[in-house]
Amino acid sequence: MSEISTAFVRLHARLTPVAFVPEVRLHQADEPIGLWELTEGEFRSSQPPPFWAFAWAGGQALARYVLDHPQTVAGRRVLDLASGSGLVAVAAARAGATSVRAVEIDERAVAAVALNAEANGVRVDAELGDVLDEPDAGTAEVVLAGDVFYSAAMANRMLRFLLRATRAGARVLVGDPGRAFLPRERFTELAGYDVPVPPALESVSVRHTTVWELNPGRPRADA
């Protein structure tokens, strides 16, 4: 975690409670579009968009589920994929996970995860890297992923990794607010929530968001 990335997060995000998970505080941007433009946006730079600066609906729902059902992660090793702000990772640590590994491809996100874990008094191992081509989830017993099915390319890579993880014995939970590329036929619904979201990002103030569990077998025919 570089000092420059840490300073950037501190400068452009303010530590505030998460709307749907007020037990957790995150460094969040007050004005999303301005920060998006500052980091050159999704289509004008190789720098990833500042996903770390917002509490996305999928992550909020998944964090809420984990905190309300701590037995999901308590005493288990957890991997949080595409961790963003680290919201889900922090929730897992608060719920009693033995260890939490949060993986991100954005150095600023890694800095945000570390800062947010410290702010919430929990330990999260924030890691910079792309693990989606690895054969499985390593030692993780539970794999969590919030709002990761937002593009076809990401969804295809993510699903292949998650299937390998669940077939190797890990339990895989996903939070998703109805993104177009979620393969619902492969999942079982666990819970649904109406989650507050920034209208500037989502064009609405509330998104109905579902927590799903990935099935290791063949897709359901009735989906």
Side-chain angles (χ1 to χ4, degrees), residues 58-131:
Q60 290 196 66
L62 191 52
R64 180 76 274 152
Y65 183 86
V66 166
L67 288 172
D68 290 346
H69 304 83
Q71 68 275 14
T72 304
V73 298
R76 293 180 170 86
R77 298 180 296 274
V78 172
L79 170 63
D80 179 26
L81 285 174
S83 188
S85 65
L87 169 58
V88 175
V90 168
R94 286 180 60 103
T98 300
S99 64
V100 182
R101 177 187 176 205
V103 178
E104 254 292 344
I105 62 169
D106 182 355
E107 185 174 307
R108 290 169 182 164
V110 173
V113 172
L115 287 171
N116 290 331
E118 181 182 12
N120 287 276
V122 297
R123 177 175 176 175
V124 171
D125 296 318
E127 177 183 319
L128 180 67
D130 183 343
V131 301

